[in-house]
Amino acid sequence: MSNIEIDEQEEKPLDPAMENVRRKMVRLQLVSGGIMLVMFMAVLAAIVYKVTRTDGKPESRISAGLSVPSDGPLTGAVALPDGFTVSSVSQSNGQILFFGTLSDGARKAILFDIAAGRIVADIDVTGR
């Protein structure tokens, strides 16, 4: 009985047609694996390039995505209404909120967007 099991475990040689098919499949597998390896390396190289790329000048970024040059500060001007007295200022996400009163006593909140360079909201404040 043990002789029968040994005979079943031994591999029998394939006929020539099947051997050719096996060789072609092994070759195809090696070529496909090589192509996949090259493409994987290209993707990794692109990721490393994007992460380490600089444009020559170091830049700092504020939360609104506005790019600030390293060689000097940004400059800008806000045209507030005539007679507007600023009582408080707040900045968040690249926007500046000016809160104050007009000459007639009306309270206002004016929102200036730094990236857009213009006033994006003019809000009348009423109530207490």
Side-chain angles (χ1 to χ4, degrees), residues 25-119:
M25 293 299 288
V26 168
R27 192 175 336 140
L28 177 65
Q29 187 177 10
L30 290 173
V31 169
S32 296
I35 290 172
M36 297 249 314
L37 180 66
V38 168
M39 294 300 138
F40 181 71
M41 296 301 285
V43 168
L44 283 180
I47 290 170
V48 168
Y49 173 75
K50 282 285 194 180
V51 168
T52 60
R53 184 180 68 165
T54 59
D55 294 336
K57 281 196 235 175
E59 292 183 350
S60 64
R61 301 197 65 77
I62 60 176
S63 59
L66 184 64
S67 177
V68 180
S70 63
D71 57 348
L74 290 176
T75 58
V78 180
L80 296 173
D82 291 334
F84 184 77
T85 305
V86 177
S87 59
S88 69
V89 177
S90 177
Q91 187 271 333
S92 177
N93 293 331
Q95 295 179 336
I96 302 172
L97 176 70
F98 297 97
F99 185 76
T101 57
L102 291 172
S103 57
D104 63 358
R107 294 186 301 174
K108 269 194 174 287
I110 298 174
L111 186 64
F112 179 77
D113 191 317
I114 298 171
R118 64 182 179 87
I119 294 175

